[in-house]
Amino acid sequence: MNTVSLPHMQYAIHEKSEASGHIGGMMQIDAEHSEIPLAPVGEAQERPLLQIKELQTQFETKQGIVKAVDGLSLELYEGEVVGLVGESGCGKTMTALSIMRLLPENGQIVAGEIGFDGVNLLQRSGEEMQRIRGRKIAMIFQEPMTALTPTMPIGRQISEAMEIHLGLSRQVAKERALELLAHVGIPSPQARFGDYIHQFSGGMRQRVMIAIAFSCQPRLLLADEPTTALDVTVQAQILDLIKNLAQEAGMTALFITHDMGIVAGSCDRVAVMYAGRLVEVGSVDDVLLKPLHPYTQGLLGSVPSLHSEPGERLSSISGLPPDLVQLPPGCKFWPRCPLADERCKQEEPLLEQYGASQAACWKADYRSDSISESK
Amino acid sequence: MSTSALRSPLLRVRGLVKHFHLPRRSLFHAPDVVRAVDGVSFDIWRGKTLGLVGESGCGKTTTGRAILQLMRPTAGAVYFEGTDLCQLSDKDLRPFRKGIQIIFQDPYASLDPRVTIGTAIAEPLMIHKICQTKEEARERVQELMRRVGLNPYFINRYPHEFSGGQRQRIGIARALAVDPDFVVLDEPVSSLDVSIQAQILNLLQDLQAEMDLTYLFIAHDLRVVRHISDRIAVMYLGLIVELARGLDIYDAPLHPYTQALLSAVPWTDPRLARQHQRIILEGEVSSAANLPSGCRFHPRCPMAEDRCRVEAPALREVRTKHWVACHLV
């Protein structure tokens, strides 16, 4: 496949399969379709639906090798919504693109395993991945304007995915696409079916993308900053929409965001990412109310809360995010950490259990003690 | 600070209007008018911060630019220390420009990529003849850089060599170089990462206290606005719908739009997120080129009555120092 800019790929793939032997492709997919059970609802907490093990994704740049994701392990259980939080460049988007196997050309998964529903995605062929993308794992991108095709009516973009993945006839796919448009809150879907993406407002564009993502009832949804570009009131509408649709379908979701507020309102569990690795994982209540890692504490302290006195100083994190080409030895956060000592500068801490959460910090032990004492 | 400065506001905006004309659709059709700002009035006292919030397209940025006369307003008055800036010619305006500055959202777009940051920060010093010689300017630039948390060693570097947060510090240094009284901050932290956002907000607060600055803080993030503002004005489609002390607005919002806006704020406390009853507004903001009749908010208002569809509500003081434009309050 020719490399186009990233987010287009999913749809570029559809176009290609239409051009090159559509019928053959559809027959294959038909066979595939019959063996896919629909997402079971309510069967929680057994085997994780998604199991990422020691994932390493690297990029070759002029400056050197960038370790965008460096030994990340994370599990998503059936039906849960997990937030992946971090600042720009921490590798959260690259984690999602690694799962989708949609990395840019200079990026490569060099080690690890991505288990999805019992199979390792990293061992699937490109063709097999095409059938998984959109059908079993769907992704919502931050910018619908760049993720959707500007030259194809939006109705067609939704129905095409269903024709390819579900083997529906053109007519049936169109009917379902109309239902979907109505379901995601697009007024007069019949009239808007033939419109192009530029004819929609920001919030409506995101609704179209959600309709596409949900069209084939995938089991896993990856949402990459789905509301960052939207206004506050529209953001609330879209978050509620995704949450309700996912709940209806019993879908598992990974919410990628930089905003702890979105995590607080939309997720069950949260994983905090810094410099390509996870530094804290736990339930939303544990992590947001009793953060163990100094980075998590700094992130939470950086956002003004409803309880803070106006005008009081925010407990910001000093310094700048690290240069991923030249990471410091030891804990990657130590140059910005108020608690760092000699050990932090030399030995890298791994994720360990402290109370109900996991944290990668030599000082977490002390902090979890002090938290239980203060209780 | 003198007592007279306390009594009269530093900035008084009265009936500010800024309309834009769209190109004619046909010869027989009157050109469409976008009423971006449609009669906005407020005061800002010296050393205080007024937060101006609203969703995209509500006219908050245009208000900021019209106050600075970067865009000449269609109508209205902007009194800066008693002088109406709207009545001044470009030439007469020049001495006032020193006192009123702006910090933009995207510091990269507002810096010339081919000019070193030292030169960029020194430029206003030379234009306003604050520094007579280059050496003097250089010294002052280094002092400013230290003040905003930049290493003066980087004085000869170019904007692309800095991160987003550092560039915003450059933008701040440049705006403050001329020792202004009043600064318009147009989404100064929206493009920054959370941890950097907090650094810049702290810096802006420190500078305000030190230099006795007066801020108009334009933003869409209501968490940030609550944190930094003394008073807050909520804009909707070119008009202020509610204006009050920050805490009054957050504790007891009166306008249905403010209520919906505040209920949508993603606070980081999960307990708050759960118990919070969100008011989900229907639809999206109408276009300022095709305004609804009556109250501009009525098509989305959950409480709209017949009267709201016909008659536009005026901004009234319904409680002490709490102004609202709504028939139902």
Side-chain angles (χ1 to χ4, degrees):
Chain A
M1 212 197 105
N2 295 331
T3 327
V4 281
S5 85
L6 241 184
H8 292 281
M9 271 192 190
Q10 202 182 344
Y11 302 98
I13 290 159
H14 298 169
E15 278 163 29
K16 196 187 165 197
S17 57
E18 192 172 44
S20 59
H22 199 168
I23 298 166
M26 262 179 60
M27 276 165 64
Q28 253 182 347
I29 288 151
D30 253 347
E32 165 84 12
H33 176 223
S34 58
E35 71 193 37
I36 302 170
L38 283 176
V41 184
E43 219 181 292
Q45 306 294 320
E46 288 174 354
R47 188 184 64 182
L49 177 68
L50 180 77
Q51 187 162 30
I52 307 174
K53 278 189 200 158
E54 293 293 320
L55 178 70
Q56 285 193 33
T57 302
Q58 300 187 344
F59 285 84
E60 256 176 68
T61 66
K62 275 184 219 153
Q63 287 77 36
I65 300 276
V66 170
K67 294 179 179 173
V69 183
D70 201 5
L72 177 135
S73 300
L74 181 66
E75 280 111 51
L76 264 69
Y77 291 89
E78 198 94 51
E80 72 171 346
V81 180
V82 175
L84 186 60
V85 191
E87 298 180 277
S88 21
C90 75
K92 51 194 195 304
T93 296
M94 288 310 147
T95 304
L97 294 179
S98 300
I99 298 169
M100 290 294 260
R101 298 255 315 270
L102 280 177
L103 290 169
E105 206 167 51
N106 61 341
Q108 206 187 349
I109 298 170
V110 294
E113 224 176 82
I114 299 176
F116 172 73
D117 202 14
V119 295
N120 184 359
L121 292 182
L122 301 185
Q123 283 164 1
R124 301 286 105 182
S125 70
E127 222 170 278
E128 286 171 308
M129 277 312 291
Q130 281 189 25
R131 267 178 270 136
I132 292 172
R133 272 193 292 261
R135 173 66 190 93
K136 292 183 175 180
I137 308 177
M139 188 154 173
I140 299 175
F141 296 92
Q142 177 175 347
E143 238 317 316
M145 207 46 195
T146 51
L148 299 179
T149 314
T151 53
M152 192 193 272
I154 57 109
R156 187 78 198 105
Q157 293 190 50
I158 304 173
S159 60
E160 189 193 39
M162 290 188 286
E163 284 170 37
I164 294 169
H165 286 303
L166 304 180
L168 300 180
S169 72
R170 197 157 178 155
Q171 191 51 40
V172 177
K174 183 175 176 178
E175 277 161 28
R176 279 203 53 187
L178 285 170
E179 279 167 33
L180 271 163
L181 283 173
H183 203 61
V184 297
I186 300 216
S188 40
Q190 196 82 44
R192 306 296 315 253
F193 192 84
D195 282 354
Y196 294 87
I197 196 68
H198 72 267
Q199 293 167 293
F200 289 82
S201 70
M204 288 296 157
R205 281 175 196 158
Q206 205 51 281
R207 285 174 196 271
V208 170
M209 188 132 77
I210 291 168
I212 294 175
F214 281 82
S215 64
C216 301
Q217 292 174 297
R219 298 185 61 191
L220 176 66
L221 176 73
L222 308 174
D224 186 6
E225 305 263 10
T227 60
T228 305
L230 303 175
D231 272 320
V232 199
T233 57
V234 183
Q235 167 172 304
Q237 292 171 358
I238 297 294
L239 285 176
D240 274 28
L241 177 67
I242 297 178
K243 225 164 53 179
N244 293 340
L245 288 175
Q247 232 158 33
E248 263 171 43
M251 203 179 284
T252 311
L254 185 67
F255 246 92
I256 296 169
T257 177
H258 66 278
D259 192 334
M260 282 290 195
I262 287 175
V263 170
S266 304
C267 302
D268 305 312
R269 282 199 305 138
V270 54
V272 184
M273 203 168 174
Y274 189 77
R277 53 211 86 200
L278 293 183
V279 295
E280 185 160 356
V281 184
S283 78
V284 165
D285 280 31
D286 285 326
V287 174
L288 269 61
L289 299 174
K290 294 175 284 182
L292 295 171
H293 199 283
Y295 178 63
T296 317
Q297 292 167 350
L299 270 188
L300 286 164
S302 296
V303 187
S305 84
L306 190 56
H307 309 298
S308 67
E309 282 296 312
E312 79 180 28
R313 284 181 70 86
L314 295 167
S315 57
S316 64
I317 306 171
S318 63
L320 301 173
D323 179 353
L324 292 175
V325 178
Q326 290 170 308
L327 284 171
C331 171
K332 304 308 162 215
F333 186 61
W334 78 256
R336 307 176 75 186
C337 182
L339 303 172
D341 64 13
E342 277 313 307
R343 185 185 190 188
C344 306
K345 293 177 192 174
Q346 276 147 27
E347 287 173 62
E348 184 168 0
L350 298 174
L351 268 185
E352 272 175 62
Q353 198 77 33
Y354 296 94
S357 310
Q358 292 175 301
C361 175
W362 296 122
K363 304 284 181 181
D365 212 1
Y366 149 76
R367 304 203 74 86
S368 62
D369 282 352
S370 66
I371 287 166
S372 52
E373 268 167 36
S374 67
K375 262 193 206 163
Chain B
M1 200 189 300
S2 70
T3 42
S4 67
L6 275 175
R7 252 181 274 127
S8 67
L10 177 75
L11 188 85
R12 274 167 53 218
V13 178
R14 289 293 173 269
L16 191 70
V17 175
K18 178 68 192 174
H19 291 174
F20 296 97
H21 292 268
L22 292 180
R24 231 175 239 274
R25 272 181 294 173
S26 85
L27 198 58
F28 308 104
H29 204 283
D32 284 330
V33 177
V34 176
R35 298 156 75 143
V37 180
D38 213 12
V40 160
S41 304
F42 54 78
D43 296 332
I44 311 180
W45 276 266
R46 188 180 281 278
K48 300 286 183 190
T49 301
L50 178 76
L52 192 58
V53 298
E55 297 179 274
S56 29
C58 73
K60 54 193 195 298
T61 292
T62 308
T63 303
R65 310 243 158 133
I67 288 172
L68 294 180
Q69 309 293 316
L70 292 178
M71 292 168 179
R72 288 298 195 148
T74 310
V78 176
Y79 298 100
F80 178 73
E81 289 184 313
T83 313
D84 184 2
L85 301 182
C86 303
Q87 300 301 325
L88 298 179
S89 67
D90 285 353
K91 187 164 162 276
D92 293 336
L93 198 61
R94 210 165 293 150
F96 287 90
R97 292 237 181 255
K98 201 169 68 156
I100 50 175
Q101 289 291 319
I102 182 165
I103 293 167
F104 297 97
Q105 171 176 357
D106 183 351
Y108 196 53
S110 54
L111 289 167
D112 186 337
R114 293 164 306 171
V115 170
T116 64
I117 64 147
T119 314
I121 302 173
E123 198 176 44
L125 294 169
M126 303 308 280
I127 288 171
H128 290 290
K129 302 198 173 61
I130 293 168
C131 293
Q132 306 307 324
T133 65
K134 279 207 166 144
E135 289 67 43
E136 200 185 333
R138 195 180 168 83
E139 233 165 78
R140 173 104 175 100
V141 168
Q142 287 180 325
E143 186 193 315
L144 278 161
M145 286 178 69
R146 259 191 294 273
R147 186 58 210 91
V148 299
L150 288 168
N151 190 339
Y153 177 75
F154 298 142
I155 190 164
N156 289 327
R157 297 214 178 166
Y158 291 89
H160 76 264
E161 298 176 79
F162 294 89
S163 68
Q166 288 171 321
R167 281 181 207 144
Q168 196 53 289
R169 289 177 196 271
I170 298 167
I172 294 172
R174 193 167 186 215
L176 300 186
V178 293
D179 202 7
D181 294 300
F182 174 68
V183 185
V184 172
L185 300 142
D186 190 359
E187 303 266 13
V189 295
S190 331
S191 62
L192 305 175
D193 262 323
V194 195
S195 71
I196 309 299
Q197 228 178 54
Q199 292 176 2
I200 298 293
L201 286 174
N202 283 340
L203 174 66
L204 288 170
Q205 280 179 319
D206 293 346
L207 292 168
Q208 178 170 41
E210 249 170 66
M211 300 174 69
D212 196 18
L213 295 169
T214 307
Y215 288 157
L216 176 65
F217 194 96
I218 300 169
H220 69 281
D221 186 331
L222 287 124
R223 297 173 297 193
V224 169
V225 170
R226 177 183 183 275
H227 176 77
I228 202 154
S229 313
D230 298 294
R231 293 201 309 151
I232 291 166
V234 181
M235 268 186 98
Y236 191 81
L237 281 180
L239 292 174
I240 289 179
V241 294
E242 186 159 359
L243 172 68
R245 280 197 324 138
L247 287 185
D248 291 345
I249 286 225
Y250 282 80
D251 291 345
L254 295 175
H255 196 284
Y257 178 63
T258 317
Q259 289 167 355
L261 208 55
L262 286 173
S263 81
V265 176
W267 298 109
T268 50
D269 188 332
R271 291 166 302 191
L272 218 59
R274 271 193 295 269
Q275 51 174 257
H276 228 67
Q277 215 34 7
R278 262 199 212 145
I279 307 167
I280 302 279
L281 287 179
E282 300 279 315
E284 290 172 36
V285 185
S286 323
S287 152
N290 186 16
L291 291 169
S293 63
C295 171
R296 289 174 190 193
F297 183 59
H298 89 251
R300 299 178 78 195
C301 183
M303 292 180 263
E305 293 174 356
D306 287 343
R307 186 181 172 195
C308 307
R309 293 180 191 102
V310 191
E311 199 184 321
L315 195 66
R316 299 168 295 131
E317 188 170 4
V318 292
R319 289 183 190 166
T320 325
K321 306 214 162 139
H322 196 145
W323 284 265
V324 182
C326 178
H327 292 307
L328 306 174
V329 177

